[in-house]
Amino acid sequence: MKDGRYGEFGGQYSPETLMYALSELETAYREAVKDPTFDAEYRRLLREYAGRPSLLYLAERVSADLNTTVYLKREDLNHTGAHKINNVLGQILLAVRMGKKRVIAETGAGQHGVATATAAALFGLSCDVFMGIEDTRRQSLNVYRMELLGAQVHPVTDGTGTLKDATSEAMREWSRRVEDTFYVIGSVVGPHPYPEIVRDFQRVIGDEIRAEMLRLHGRLPDALFACVGGGSNAMGTFFPFLNDKGVRLIGAEAGGEGIDTDRHAASLTKGTTGVFHGMKSIFLQDEEGQIAPVYSISAGLDYPGIGPEHAHLFRTGRAEYYPVTDEEAVCAFEYLSRTEGIIPAIESAHALALFRRMKDQFSPDQQVVVTLSGRGDKDVEAIGEYRGRFQKEEYHD
Amino acid sequence: MKDGRYGEFGGQYSPETLMYALSELETAYREAVKDPTFDAEYRRLLREYAGRPSLLYLAERVSADLNTTVYLKREDLNHTGAHKINNVLGQILLAVRMGKKRVIAETGAGQHGVATATAAALFGLSCDVFMGIEDTRRQSLNVYRMELLGAQVHPVTDGTGTLKDATSEAMREWSRRVEDTFYVIGSVVGPHPYPEIVRDFQRVIGDEIRAEMLRLHGRLPDALFACVGGGSNAMGTFFPFLNDKGVRLIGAEAGGEGIDTDRHAASLTKGTTGVFHGMKSIFLQDEEGQIAPVYSISAGLDYPGIGPEHAHLFRTGRAEYYPVTDEEAVCAFEYLSRTEGIIPAIESAHALALFRRMKDQFSPDQQVVVTLSGRGDKDVEAIGEYRGRFQKEEYHD
Amino acid sequence: MTKNRIDTRFAELRAKGRKAFIPFITAGDPDIGTSYKIAKELIRNGADLIEFGVPYSDPSADGPVIMRADQRALTAGTRLKDVFALSSSISSEFPDIPVVLLLYFNSVFVYGIERFFADCESAGISGVILPDLPLEEKEEAEPQALSHGVYLISMVTPVSEERTARILGQAKGFLYCVASLGVTGERSDFATDFTAYFDRLNALSDIPKCIGFGVSSPEQKASLQPFCDGVIVGSAIVRRIEEGIKEGLNSDRLAEKLGAYVRTFTEVTR
Amino acid sequence: MTKNRIDTRFAELRAKGRKAFIPFITAGDPDIGTSYKIAKELIRNGADLIEFGVPYSDPSADGPVIMRADQRALTAGTRLKDVFALSSSISSEFPDIPVVLLLYFNSVFVYGIERFFADCESAGISGVILPDLPLEEKEEAEPQALSHGVYLISMVTPVSEERTARILGQAKGFLYCVASLGVTGERSDFATDFTAYFDRLNALSDIPKCIGFGVSSPEQKASLQPFCDGVIVGSAIVRRIEEGIKEGLNSDRLAEKLGAYVRTFTEVTR
Ligand SMILES: Cc1ncc(COP(=O)(O)O)c(C=O)c1O
Ligand SMILES: Cc1ncc(COP(=O)(O)O)c(C=O)c1O
């Protein structure tokens, strides 16, 4: 497979303004991975700043309830509360290595923006984050967090005011300031080499799962579940197992209000091949390639495409992907909160919801790992609204 | 020293209705600590649920800026985001061991309530949390979190509607349902045996600091800083070092708008000996023992007293305590966010602020540990308001 | 040292085969002058002892009715010296009626334990109930109390379990038998099995036993009296004071109203 | 296969010592009929080539002015067939004027690459600019384009660095020289050192070179022309269309207004 291609997917469909920067990035990255001090510093930051390794948690009450053995990979316990920090620390180290003084990022749920602002603060870089205006409302707490971390948050009013528009705007900004700016992409999307870089920085999730499952059980898990927005936590989870045919790799897409409505973000299930945001992949679009407005209760999954490597795994059948509705995700969100005392990100709740739906495909002696990509504090208020709860007057004294 | 006494402080100043329950608790606790399976289960939960050990983080940029070596003990990375979970897991295990099916708790910042609701969910116990009405407003996100975890939150309208009133109400509720209810106290306060139990369940903080500092440097730190509300994170930090005279133990109290105003919660600095909430300790009160209304920007420090063991350490001079104003704490909150990409709880920011003020007492070759008792997500909005920021219109596109 | 009025009083009542009626009011609710008038009316209408609550900022063993009364009394500026003055007036005007204070230990501790009991003695106070000073902590105050002829009244509850014997072993004056779990406040019903409760208590000691916490009607009083030597009524009375205040009654009318209310208790199965 | 109009056009211009003026409009803004009228006026007022933008939902290389134009065109229901029809009319009415499309590669890819260029050929389209199909990905479309006599116009930027030689090595028709970093949109000033930029370009190839991205006034055009063979003006024109729409001009008035505006460019240093 040629560099940057995953079967027919991937590539580098970028404006010429960015092409030199992309090749510079690729060169810097190839050098960095060969440099042991880079890897050592990245590992040190994961350990001593992000707090890795993250827990592989045996969810006993869920296991008993669903009659399987379920482990949760607790990315929610990372500093800043999601898997996004793994990737950001790697990219920021690259940015520093390349002598950049300024970083930009797009963000959906705000987790990637918070992670980027965090790492930028840690390295004293200036940081601008682009966020759809709709998402700044859905995730206002994260807007505040980024500002506190010293980042400028730019609400993007174009289009649907969500992640795709934030991404477009970040790309525009990068092309304006490509010489002094490093663009920290938040998922396994965009032009090559981003999908590869982000996957490499997220594979620590799957590497840890693998090592821990071997340590605990002397064998690999039977299935891995993860949610897919752009697909970084899923790619990080799946990648180290790609050649282990016995391990089912299962992704949960945002089914929104249902894939028979036009209110969803189930790119693989309902999308077609296209070229957008620098990559060839599978997108929700019309017959002329106009990108469809998408929807999910989860800001982090509210994206009309998916990383090219997932498109390839989907087409080749190596991984499976199914849509999960808002309602199923919210139920799983509540279920895990009450059952294990763990409030998951609404994104991650999609993965758990999918596992709950598919539980009968697994026997009690099989082992399943669900990646909890982040914590749900950021979502609590929105879920309350979705449920029509939290009328303060209801309180009794 | 007699059981439950710390010099002149401590004791068991409780209504007769609760006395048998307290002795039952003490008996159960004494048996539990002797039972290796109890300790093993507690340690397992700390490791596999709370995510311990928590990181001891070398804050390089802060160290460079303040010209000392500063480690942060990262309790903010624990599941649920604060040190409170350490204690709660221990007490819930005790509750289960005692056959209780229901737990209650008071909460200030909401962190203890969230931790209790979390552990109650994990063990399938019913849970009621009492929270001052003022605090339900200051920390509304945590109210939502507790509800999601299946707890009932009862806003307390008495008095100043803060932690002291929530504590009184929890005690009332306990006396109503003492037979089937376990009262999970959130700090090293209350009647014996609570201060001892909570300290024992929090000493893991100090034990880990000690082991890690010895591993890293072969010697003990020169000073430990922690904030004191009731005093549990500070007691957990200090306790394993009580006999190490070379280690300065330094607590930060809530100085509010200044200790020369009547808007603060600096119990040790301005308080006198008294008896309240079941313990003899030092309280902010008038000449007839009426408890003073107190204030702090930090809901978790907004309490007119302190645990009896701290009162003893204060009187004997083994530990030092100084007030920190709201403004100093907010500055430290912002400082750490921007400098290290770590948003601390506003409570914890008091400890860091105190260290910043006292930095000249430490030379660059000395090592100081500041306990970051929790993460600041819960505070971001309130701090924004304090600063008069976050007018959405200010955004530029 | 003279004989404690409490002992005298219960001896008399036992001799007559009567049960004590002990009303409680918060001193200073709504002001100390009115408390004085109310107290006199209570006594005129049959109170055998009188219990004054000392208002406290954070009454953690009390329910909402008494919490509000404490708040009113504090707002009116009530201080310990006022409570002593009130007690002094009542105890001198009614030499047979024992005056008992109910207060949180902090009020005593911060005032100074020795000083407090000395002032009790001067004010003619016979007993002090400290709901948050259990057996285990009592030695901190009891020597001083006794040296001034004041009894620390012990409380016992249906869940005191094996502590019961120890409590009864050292109780003086009378035993405050908590009728049910929880804080002060009226109960429409008690879950407690009074027969078993009092069999246990009576087997342990002969001391006069009064039931309190939650007694809310003359009928309840009537049904509890057979078990014990007296009944304490607090929140039900304090609630009438609150109502009277809301109705805008002046202090004489308020005192009258309370007198009439208390008569409904004392008239029943005297 | 006939000679590509672009080559003919630039040969003529060079022969006359003239510089090309290339206006850009979004096809279908505000509707396809008006675009036709505007295009004719642009040509009558001196356009040497005409560039039609194909409206796209997410034009990530465009600034706000063209984003809004795309939005208007899509709202009006503009589809590729309309753009082909428009191009067809213009290319047949003005046999000398090359028509060039600017669109995102996804529009081509999803339509079908072979089908797309076949339809280009039928519509008399001479070139296609695909801003997100760089050198590295070009082979995916170029064979089909060329087999239908359509040039894929290459872009080069001041930050193409060592890529510049490769780009120029394969460029056909003319070279789109991006004037400055960033997306489309008017600039009051350029940071670019045009002398150095074009020395570099001219040393590498003789292909006609046109400057685009950000040219906002006749004066700017005048100052850039000496460096190159032509100037492309997009956002400045599209902004006048937007203004005309806001003023409520009908399509004839709008076309007239644009004709007059464009004349200010073509009159200057013709
Ligand atoms: C917690 C969480 N999970 C998942 C996602 C989706 O991203 P990805 O598919 O790249 O993991 C996001 C994106 O913001 C997120 O915040
Ligand atoms: C993060 C945090 N730190 C500190 C405190 C103060 O409690 P303590 O002094 O018992 O540690 C609280 C109380 O809620 C808290 O939430």
Side-chain angles (χ1 to χ4, degrees):
Chain A
M1 218 175 282
K2 107 172 200 207
D3 255 18
R5 284 281 171 180
Y6 309 92
E8 64 176 306
F9 303 106
Q12 213 165 25
Y13 299 86
S14 252
E16 178 55 30
T17 310
L18 300 178
M19 288 304 289
Y20 181 70
L22 288 170
S23 75
E24 211 185 23
L25 172 63
E26 183 169 1
T27 308
Y29 179 62
R30 300 265 173 259
E31 281 169 19
V33 292
K34 271 188 249 139
D35 177 353
T37 63
F38 180 86
D39 188 64
E41 179 63 2
Y42 169 62
R43 302 277 154 203
R44 191 186 71 79
L45 284 172
L46 287 185
R47 205 171 51 240
E48 296 178 14
Y49 188 68
R52 300 202 75 88
S54 74
L55 212 56
L56 188 70
Y57 171 71
L58 174 61
E60 289 185 31
R61 282 165 53 89
V62 171
S63 298
D65 186 49
L66 303 184
N67 208 23
T68 346
T69 306
V70 190
Y71 286 89
L72 303 176
K73 180 60 174 166
R74 299 288 305 276
E75 296 298 306
D76 61 313
L77 291 177
N78 295 343
H79 179 50
T80 71
H83 67 295
K84 300 283 179 187
I85 192 77
N86 304 330
N87 165 45
V88 163
L89 288 174
Q91 287 197 49
I92 293 266
L93 275 184
L94 261 185
V96 170
R97 189 182 171 94
M98 292 170 74
K100 307 283 180 178
K101 296 271 177 283
R102 175 184 184 241
V103 298
I104 59 170
E106 86 294 343
T107 198
Q111 293 303 105
H112 175 60
V114 167
T116 306
T118 295
L122 184 64
F123 284 93
L125 307 180
S126 105
C127 177
D128 291 82
V129 178
F130 297 86
M131 187 168 187
I133 185 113
E134 179 59 29
D135 292 340
T136 63
R137 291 194 195 106
R138 287 196 279 190
Q139 311 273 306
S140 60
L141 184 62
N142 274 342
V143 175
Y144 301 162
R145 288 168 77 195
M146 290 182 264
E147 299 199 351
L148 262 169
L149 293 159
Q152 282 257 22
V153 178
H154 306 268
V156 177
T157 52
D158 310 325
T160 48
T162 59
L163 180 53
K164 107 179 139 64
D165 310 292
T167 307
S168 297
E169 196 53 37
M171 287 186 164
R172 289 187 188 103
E173 176 62 15
W174 196 28
S175 76
R176 278 179 210 116
R177 297 268 304 263
V178 64
E179 288 164 308
D180 71 343
T181 296
F182 188 101
Y183 178 18
V184 180
I185 286 191
S187 193
V188 287
V189 297
H192 174 71
Y194 279 109
E196 179 183 334
I197 291 181
V198 177
R199 179 251 283 155
D200 289 354
F201 286 140
Q202 288 292 4
R203 65 170 289 172
V204 62
I205 303 173
D207 285 336
E208 287 177 6
I209 292 173
R210 195 183 171 91
E212 187 69 1
M213 290 303 284
L214 288 174
R215 190 182 71 76
L216 290 171
H217 302 285
R219 67 181 200 78
L220 298 181
D222 296 283
L224 303 170
F225 284 79
C227 66
V228 284
S232 67
N233 86 84
M235 212 52 239
T237 302
F238 297 169
F239 187 70
F241 297 89
L242 286 189
N243 295 324
D244 303 302
K245 293 290 139 64
V247 182
R248 281 179 73 179
L249 310 176
I250 305 174
E253 307 201 276
E257 297 178 359
I259 55 166
D260 300 327
T261 72
D262 58 0
R263 304 258 299 158
H264 64 80
S267 318
L268 290 176
T269 308
K270 304 282 280 189
T272 52
T273 304
V275 173
F276 185 52
H277 282 159
M279 58 182 166
K280 186 175 288 176
S281 189
I282 297 180
F283 298 96
L284 289 166
Q285 51 185 346
D286 70 13
E287 350 49 272
E288 291 209 343
Q290 307 288 355
I291 301 302
V294 293
Y295 162 81
S296 163
I297 191 173
S298 147
L301 304 183
D302 198 352
Y303 183 72
I306 189 164
E309 195 163 6
H310 282 293
H312 179 60
L313 295 176
F314 173 68
R315 276 292 157 74
T316 57
R318 175 64 191 95
E320 309 155 57
Y321 300 84
Y322 306 97
V324 170
T325 63
D326 286 358
E327 179 63 27
E328 288 174 296
V330 170
C331 287
F333 179 91
E334 294 168 338
Y335 173 76
L336 194 65
S337 300
R338 291 198 184 191
T339 310
E340 296 281 354
I342 297 171
I343 305 178
I346 186 65
E347 289 79 13
S348 324
H350 283 71
L352 183 67
L354 183 58
F355 169 64
R356 282 176 89 193
R357 193 206 294 157
M358 294 174 68
K359 70 176 173 10
D360 294 339
Q361 302 184 20
F362 301 92
S363 62
D365 59 323
Q366 289 194 304
Q367 277 141 7
V368 164
V369 179
V370 178
T371 295
L372 272 204
S373 53
R375 59 170 133 95
D377 306 57
K378 66 181 182 55
D379 301 305
V380 168
E381 205 153 350
I383 301 299
E385 276 166 31
Y386 177 87
R387 281 293 190 228
R389 288 173 73 214
F390 305 146
Q391 276 77 20
K392 285 282 164 94
E393 306 82 277
E394 267 182 36
Y395 288 139
H396 47 282
D397 199 347
Chain B
M1 218 176 282
K2 108 173 198 205
D3 255 16
R5 283 282 170 178
Y6 309 92
E8 64 176 307
F9 303 105
Q12 214 166 23
Y13 299 86
S14 253
E16 177 57 29
T17 309
L18 299 178
M19 288 303 289
Y20 180 69
L22 288 170
S23 76
E24 211 184 23
L25 172 64
E26 182 168 3
T27 307
Y29 180 62
R30 299 266 173 256
E31 279 169 19
V33 293
K34 271 189 249 137
D35 176 355
T37 66
F38 180 86
D39 188 62
E41 179 63 5
Y42 169 63
R43 300 280 154 203
R44 192 185 70 80
L45 284 172
L46 287 185
R47 205 171 51 240
E48 296 179 13
Y49 187 69
R52 299 202 75 87
S54 74
L55 211 57
L56 188 70
Y57 171 72
L58 174 60
E60 289 184 32
R61 283 166 52 88
V62 170
S63 297
D65 186 50
L66 302 185
N67 208 23
T68 347
T69 306
V70 190
Y71 286 89
L72 302 176
K73 181 60 172 166
R74 299 287 306 275
E75 297 297 307
D76 60 314
L77 291 177
N78 294 343
H79 180 51
T80 70
H83 67 294
K84 299 284 179 187
I85 192 78
N86 305 329
N87 164 45
V88 163
L89 288 174
Q91 287 198 48
I92 293 267
L93 275 184
L94 259 185
V96 169
R97 190 183 170 92
M98 292 170 75
K100 306 283 179 176
K101 296 270 177 280
R102 174 183 185 243
V103 298
I104 59 171
E106 86 294 343
T107 198
Q111 293 303 103
H112 174 60
V114 166
T116 305
T118 294
L122 184 64
F123 285 93
L125 307 179
S126 106
C127 177
D128 291 83
V129 178
F130 297 86
M131 188 170 186
I133 184 113
E134 178 60 27
D135 292 340
T136 64
R137 291 195 195 106
R138 287 196 281 190
Q139 311 272 306
S140 60
L141 184 62
N142 274 342
V143 175
Y144 301 162
R145 288 169 78 194
M146 289 183 265
E147 299 198 352
L148 261 168
L149 292 160
Q152 282 255 24
V153 179
H154 305 267
V156 176
T157 52
D158 310 325
T160 49
T162 59
L163 180 54
K164 104 179 141 66
D165 311 291
T167 307
S168 296
E169 195 54 37
M171 287 185 164
R172 289 186 188 103
E173 176 62 16
W174 195 28
S175 77
R176 279 179 209 114
R177 298 267 302 263
V178 64
E179 286 164 309
D180 70 344
T181 296
F182 188 101
Y183 178 19
V184 180
I185 286 191
S187 192
V188 287
V189 298
H192 175 70
Y194 279 110
E196 179 183 334
I197 291 180
V198 177
R199 179 251 281 153
D200 288 354
F201 287 138
Q202 289 291 6
R203 65 170 288 171
V204 63
I205 302 173
D207 284 337
E208 287 177 6
I209 293 173
R210 193 182 173 92
E212 187 68 1
M213 291 302 284
L214 286 173
R215 190 183 71 77
L216 290 171
H217 301 286
R219 67 181 200 79
L220 298 181
D222 297 283
L224 303 169
F225 284 80
C227 67
V228 284
S232 67
N233 86 84
M235 212 52 237
T237 302
F238 296 169
F239 187 69
F241 298 90
L242 286 188
N243 295 324
D244 303 301
K245 291 291 141 61
V247 182
R248 280 179 74 179
L249 311 176
I250 305 173
E253 310 200 273
E257 297 179 358
I259 55 166
D260 299 326
T261 72
D262 57 1
R263 304 260 297 160
H264 64 79
S267 317
L268 290 177
T269 309
K270 303 284 280 189
T272 53
T273 304
V275 174
F276 185 50
H277 282 160
M279 59 184 166
K280 185 176 288 178
S281 189
I282 298 179
F283 299 95
L284 289 165
Q285 53 185 346
D286 71 11
E287 351 46 274
E288 290 209 344
Q290 307 287 354
I291 301 302
V294 293
Y295 161 81
S296 164
I297 191 172
S298 148
L301 304 184
D302 199 352
Y303 183 73
I306 189 165
E309 195 163 6
H310 282 294
H312 179 61
L313 296 176
F314 173 71
R315 276 293 157 74
T316 57
R318 175 62 190 96
E320 309 156 57
Y321 301 83
Y322 306 97
V324 168
T325 63
D326 287 357
E327 179 62 25
E328 288 173 296
V330 170
C331 288
F333 179 90
E334 294 167 338
Y335 173 77
L336 194 65
S337 300
R338 291 197 185 194
T339 311
E340 296 281 352
I342 297 171
I343 306 178
I346 186 65
E347 288 80 11
S348 323
H350 283 72
L352 183 68
L354 183 57
F355 169 64
R356 282 177 91 194
R357 192 206 293 158
M358 293 173 70
K359 71 175 172 12
D360 293 340
Q361 301 185 19
F362 301 93
S363 62
D365 58 322
Q366 289 195 305
Q367 278 141 7
V368 164
V369 179
V370 178
T371 295
L372 272 205
S373 53
R375 60 170 132 94
D377 306 55
K378 66 181 182 58
D379 300 306
V380 168
E381 206 154 351
I383 301 300
E385 276 167 31
Y386 176 87
R387 280 295 190 227
R389 288 173 74 213
F390 306 146
Q391 276 76 20
K392 284 280 164 93
E393 305 84 276
E394 267 181 38
Y395 288 137
H396 49 282
D397 198 347
Chain C
M1 202 173 289
T2 54
K3 199 161 190 306
N4 189 302
R5 278 192 209 182
I6 296 173
D7 295 332
T8 321
R9 190 73 187 160
F10 278 101
E12 277 172 33
L13 288 166
R14 282 201 175 169
K16 293 187 195 155
R18 275 185 46 215
K19 305 294 166 99
F21 175 69
I22 311 178
F24 166 97
I25 62 171
T26 296
D29 170 30
D31 58 64
I32 208 76
T34 308
S35 290
Y36 170 70
K37 289 182 186 173
I38 293 172
K40 288 213 310 201
E41 281 302 317
L42 300 182
I43 295 168
R44 283 201 197 109
N45 285 284
D48 297 300
L49 275 88
I50 188 142
E51 196 179 318
F52 291 129
V54 177
Y56 193 55
S57 55
D58 297 84
S60 52
D62 285 295
V65 169
I66 292 180
M67 286 166 74
R68 287 196 298 270
D70 282 13
Q71 217 39 61
R72 284 192 297 272
L74 289 174
T75 306
T78 309
R79 316 274 307 199
L80 267 173
K81 71 171 167 22
D82 305 310
V83 182
F84 287 129
L86 168 67
S87 304
S88 185
S89 308
I90 294 294
S91 68
S92 51
E93 282 178 54
F94 301 96
D96 295 344
I97 302 291
V99 173
V100 171
L101 296 190
L102 186 145
L103 75 176
Y104 289 86
F105 182 54
N106 200 38
S107 301
V108 177
F109 179 82
V110 171
Y111 192 81
I113 298 175
E114 168 60 28
R115 177 183 166 213
F116 177 84
F117 288 108
D119 287 358
C120 282
E121 184 173 16
S122 314
I125 290 162
S126 304
V128 169
I129 306 172
L130 296 165
D132 59 348
L133 197 75
L135 193 61
E136 282 74 359
E137 306 293 352
K138 229 174 164 181
E139 63 186 290
E140 190 168 350
E142 192 152 49
Q144 296 91 319
L146 290 179
S147 82
H148 290 285
V150 179
Y151 283 159
L152 291 193
I153 303 301
S154 295
M155 293 178 119
V156 72
T157 79
V159 291
S160 288
E161 306 284 337
E162 95 242 334
R163 303 167 43 79
T164 312
R166 279 183 290 139
I167 294 169
L168 268 69
Q170 51 79 61
K172 299 212 163 46
F174 70 93
L175 186 70
Y176 193 129
C177 306
V178 172
S180 66
L181 300 188
V183 292
T184 57
E186 300 157 72
R187 310 267 192 285
S188 55
D189 224 356
F190 292 106
T192 309
D193 173 350
F194 286 98
T195 309
Y197 187 19
F198 278 86
D199 280 354
R200 214 154 59 227
L201 298 180
N202 289 327
L204 288 163
S205 162
D206 197 32
I207 188 169
K209 301 174 191 72
C210 300
I211 297 183
F213 264 55
V215 183
S216 60
S217 69
E219 296 70 37
Q220 265 187 350
K221 169 174 175 273
S223 71
L224 292 172
Q225 250 167 202
F227 297 106
C228 61
D229 300 283
V231 170
I232 304 160
V233 178
S235 297
I237 291 173
V238 174
R239 188 153 64 82
R240 265 61 187 192
I241 296 178
E242 185 168 61
E243 283 170 10
I245 294 168
K246 285 208 185 117
E247 289 161 20
L249 303 185
N250 69 23
S251 57
D252 291 329
R253 292 285 85 72
L254 190 58
E256 245 169 54
K257 173 191 164 103
L258 269 293
Y261 178 63
V262 150
R263 178 149 299 277
T264 66
F265 283 86
T266 50
E267 267 171 356
V268 163
T269 58
R270 190 90 225 209
Chain D
M1 202 171 289
T2 55
K3 199 160 190 304
N4 189 302
R5 277 191 209 184
I6 297 172
D7 295 334
T8 320
R9 191 72 187 158
F10 277 102
E12 278 171 32
L13 289 166
R14 281 200 175 170
K16 294 188 194 157
R18 275 185 47 215
K19 304 295 165 99
F21 174 69
I22 311 178
F24 166 98
I25 62 171
T26 295
D29 171 30
D31 57 65
I32 207 78
T34 308
S35 291
Y36 170 69
K37 291 183 186 173
I38 293 172
K40 289 213 308 199
E41 282 300 318
L42 300 181
I43 295 168
R44 285 201 194 110
N45 284 285
D48 296 300
L49 275 88
I50 188 142
E51 196 179 318
F52 291 129
V54 177
Y56 194 54
S57 55
D58 297 84
S60 52
D62 286 295
V65 171
I66 292 180
M67 287 167 75
R68 287 197 299 269
D70 282 15
Q71 217 39 61
R72 284 192 297 272
L74 290 173
T75 305
T78 309
R79 316 273 308 200
L80 266 173
K81 71 168 169 20
D82 305 310
V83 182
F84 286 129
L86 168 68
S87 304
S88 187
S89 309
I90 294 293
S91 68
S92 51
E93 283 178 52
F94 302 96
D96 296 345
I97 302 289
V99 174
V100 171
L101 296 190
L102 187 146
L103 75 176
Y104 289 85
F105 181 55
N106 200 37
S107 301
V108 177
F109 179 83
V110 171
Y111 192 79
I113 297 175
E114 168 58 29
R115 175 182 169 216
F116 177 83
F117 287 108
D119 287 358
C120 282
E121 184 173 15
S122 315
I125 291 163
S126 304
V128 169
I129 305 171
L130 296 165
D132 58 347
L133 196 75
L135 194 60
E136 283 73 359
E137 307 292 352
K138 232 176 162 179
E139 62 186 292
E140 188 167 353
E142 193 151 49
Q144 296 91 318
L146 290 178
S147 82
H148 291 285
V150 179
Y151 285 160
L152 290 192
I153 304 302
S154 295
M155 294 178 119
V156 70
T157 79
V159 291
S160 289
E161 305 284 338
E162 94 244 335
R163 304 168 43 78
T164 312
R166 279 184 288 141
I167 293 169
L168 268 69
Q170 53 78 60
K172 299 207 165 45
F174 69 92
L175 186 70
Y176 193 130
C177 306
V178 172
S180 66
L181 300 188
V183 292
T184 58
E186 300 158 71
R187 310 267 193 285
S188 56
D189 226 353
F190 293 106
T192 310
D193 174 351
F194 287 98
T195 310
Y197 186 18
F198 279 86
D199 281 355
R200 214 155 57 227
L201 299 179
N202 290 327
L204 289 164
S205 162
D206 199 31
I207 189 169
K209 302 173 191 73
C210 300
I211 297 183
F213 264 54
V215 183
S216 62
S217 68
E219 296 69 40
Q220 265 187 349
K221 172 176 174 271
S223 71
L224 291 171
Q225 252 168 203
F227 296 106
C228 61
D229 300 284
V231 171
I232 304 160
V233 178
S235 297
I237 291 173
V238 174
R239 187 153 65 81
R240 265 61 187 193
I241 297 179
E242 183 166 65
E243 283 169 10
I245 295 168
K246 284 207 186 117
E247 289 161 21
L249 303 185
N250 69 23
S251 57
D252 292 329
R253 291 286 85 72
L254 189 57
E256 244 169 58
K257 174 189 164 103
L258 268 294
Y261 178 63
V262 151
R263 179 148 297 275
T264 64
F265 282 87
T266 51
E267 267 173 358
V268 163
T269 59
R270 191 96 222 209

